Amino acid sequence: MSFWTQKNLDPKMKHRFRVTIPDISNDYAWYAKTVDKPSFKFSPQNENELYLGEVFPDTKILTNPSWQNINTTLVDVYSADSEDTTTIDLTTSLVKLLQEANYGTNSYFERTFQEVRIEQLDSNGQPLELWTLVSPILIDVNFGNLDYSSSEFIEIKLTWSYSTVKYTVYDSNRTSTDILSPTIQ
Amino acid sequence: MADNFWTNAPTRDPKRGFRFRVQIPGISAGYLWFAKKADKPEISVKSTQHKYLGHTFNFPGSVEWNSVSITFVDPVEPDLAGTLGDLLSTIGYELPKDSNGFITISKSKAVGSLGDVIIEQIDEDGRTLEQWTLNNAFINKVGYGTLDYNSEDLTELMVSFTYDWASYSSGAPGTKTPGPFFAGPNNS
């Protein structure tokens, strides 16, 4: 039986993760600082209902889960080297998303986002689990705040809403198994 | 019994604290002969605790390299106090004058101005036994020393460096690597 005394016990740790946001870059977002893992909640369909004459509420009926919004915090990076063309200016990349969605024009404001991938890693840098946000949309973008009294990095906070998730788990042989893979109609 | 022991006639000395040399190109070219004391790099591995009933279990987390301090004597020539002041300007620190001073310190300026900080431990023949290179090092503290009417000591300056990580290499036995200071005044 497993227990805390095992020396090969390696719980999942908060700092072992990587996230990919293809609308910004197809590489791992090494400038990510925090990201929520997906969460869902159920709301009973018949909350507080009861039949006439009954004293106790009716047996709860489960509905489909609703997936909660996810927050990601990114450090706003840029390169001081004018010849470096690989570093991303995050603020510009995000503002360009607005431009590409026809913002400020007479055209219909429209934007679809690619799937965001959140991986929990083990101590060898290998994925243990992969969460893929299906049909995500950005619902909140906060470009941070400026403060003369602070030496902290500027942080950009993104909030994502999504229809559902795909969840894949990896075993010790790196074999993946899709635990959740819903089909969007 | 082990081949190596204190009773055996030694072929080489153990490492000694006074046998070292330091290079910081941003302060002065070559070995800094006016260095007096230098910390070797230090690693901390953070740990996370988990408690179960009355027990505590520890798990290793991230690695941190702790700051390194080097103490210098100010030889006047070169003017170390002035050199360190110039370095502060190079890394982006400007004394406040008016509301138009927008230049600030950045990592690229701070790291670039210093160059590779190298601390070497050497043997009795001046050969490198171990070489530590502080990667992406920048100055995080400068102490210009203490003045004291009661003291005849040389004025000392203390400089502390923060760095991302340290690289280590050991010197190959038999390799003689004399520097301009250790080679003596008549060496060409």
Side-chain angles (χ1 to χ4, degrees), chain A residues 3-5 9 11 13 15 80, chain B residues 48 50 52 57 59-62 108:
Chain A
F3 191 56
W4 293 108
T5 48
L9 189 68
M13 298 193 86
H15 63 270
Chain B
T48 299
H50 176 80
Y52 177 81
F57 299 95
F59 294 88
S62 56
S108 61

Side-chain angles (χ1 to χ4, degrees), chain B residues 42-62:
Chain B
E42 189 178 277
I43 300 174
S44 299
V45 180
K46 288 182 147 183
S47 68
T48 299
Q49 284 187 344
H50 176 80
K51 292 187 185 294
Y52 177 81
L53 293 177
H55 310 291
T56 304
F57 299 95
N58 296 292
F59 294 88
S62 56

Side-chain angles (χ1 to χ4, degrees), chain A residues 93-122:
Chain A
S93 301
L94 289 165
V95 172
K96 272 186 180 169
L97 294 180
L98 280 180
Q99 184 190 41
E100 290 161 6
N102 302 321
Y103 178 75
T105 69
N106 290 329
S107 299
Y108 183 60
F109 184 82
E110 186 176 17
R111 171 84 202 190
T112 54
F113 291 85
Q114 300 175 67
E115 294 180 338
V116 174
R117 298 189 296 279
I118 302 165
E119 293 171 274
Q120 171 98 59
L121 307 176
D122 65 10

Side-chain angles (χ1 to χ4, degrees), chain B residues 25-163:
Chain B
I27 292 180
S28 181
Y31 299 114
L32 301 186
W33 51 270
F34 40 88
K36 183 178 168 179
K37 203 160 58 163
D39 292 336
K40 283 161 72 167
E42 189 178 277
I43 300 174
S44 299
V45 180
K46 288 182 147 183
S47 68
T48 299
Q49 284 187 344
H50 176 80
K51 292 187 185 294
Y52 177 81
L53 293 177
H55 310 291
T56 304
F57 299 95
N58 296 292
F59 294 88
S62 56
V63 170
E64 278 186 10
W65 290 85
N66 299 330
S67 293
V68 152
S69 292
I70 301 179
T71 305
F72 302 94
V73 164
D74 193 346
V76 179
E77 289 177 358
D79 173 16
L80 186 56
T83 302
L84 291 171
D86 289 342
L87 259 183
L88 281 177
S89 303
T90 310
I91 69 176
Y93 177 67
E94 288 185 341
L95 294 174
K97 278 181 260 186
D98 53 36
S99 62
N100 293 320
F102 294 114
I103 294 178
T104 52
I105 294 175
S106 72
K107 186 171 182 179
S108 61
K109 285 185 264 187
V111 169
S113 66
L114 218 50
D116 280 340
V117 177
I118 297 175
I119 301 167
E120 289 176 283
Q121 184 141 28
I122 58 176
D123 67 5
E124 63 274 18
D125 294 321
R127 295 173 294 197
T128 302
L129 291 172
E130 50 180 77
Q131 181 182 81
W132 292 93
T133 304
L134 310 185
N135 293 285
N136 295 342
F138 59 88
I139 293 175
N140 76 355
K141 193 169 170 178
V142 176
Y144 283 94
T146 307
L147 303 173
D148 182 355
Y149 284 125
N150 282 327
S151 172
E152 293 178 359
D153 293 340
L154 303 179
T155 298
E156 295 178 357
L157 287 81
M158 190 280 294
V159 184
S160 178
F161 300 90
T162 297
Y163 51 103

